[in-house]
Amino acid sequence: MTVAANVLDQAEGRHHYGASQDIQAAETRAAALLSTGYVPVGCEAFLTVGQAVACARSRADRILSRRLIQVDALAQALLARGHLDGREVHALLAGQQSGGGSDGDSQ
């Protein structure tokens, strides 16, 4: 989620302190995962945390780009209501058409 939020910030031209903290948190988590030998879905083995974050950011961008209808519906609902619980999110997404493929980026 952190990386996805940053991708959206970048795409919409928002470069603020919150995104910087998100990136730092993602890099810390990536370092911890990589130290165990974990390789994210759709990525090859890397040498640096920066490469892992870049791979995850690219994947998040692909996922969000293919699901713009769902992202927009969630954004509109959040703007209208201020918050959504899990059931509301699931109900909202169940009513939307998926623009996704089946290349392993379904999450």
Side-chain angles (χ1 to χ4, degrees):
M1 254 343 232
T2 300
V3 175
N6 184 255
V7 168
L8 188 57
D9 284 350
Q10 296 291 327
E12 294 181 350
R14 290 190 302 259
H15 308 282
H16 53 75
Y17 187 67
S20 175
Q21 286 181 322
D22 292 345
I23 292 170
Q24 184 177 8
E27 288 176 347
T28 300
R29 289 182 186 111
L33 286 170
L34 293 174
S35 72
T36 68
Y38 174 80
V39 177
V41 174
C43 301
E44 298 179 21
F46 351 81
L47 300 174
T48 68
V49 170
Q51 290 171 319
V53 172
C55 181
R57 183 176 289 149
S58 176
R59 180 172 179 236
D61 187 42
R62 288 190 312 270
I63 292 169
L64 292 173
S65 294
R66 284 196 320 263
R67 290 166 175 76
L68 288 176
I69 293 171
Q70 293 169 314
V71 170
D72 187 55
L74 283 172
Q76 293 302 319
L78 284 168
L79 287 171
R81 301 177 198 163
H83 73 281
L84 298 170
D85 65 27
R87 288 182 184 180
E88 291 170 320
V89 170
H90 286 285
L92 183 67
L93 294 179
Q96 299 299 318
Q97 292 295 319
S98 172
S102 58
D103 62 359
D105 285 340
S106 61
Q107 298 174 355

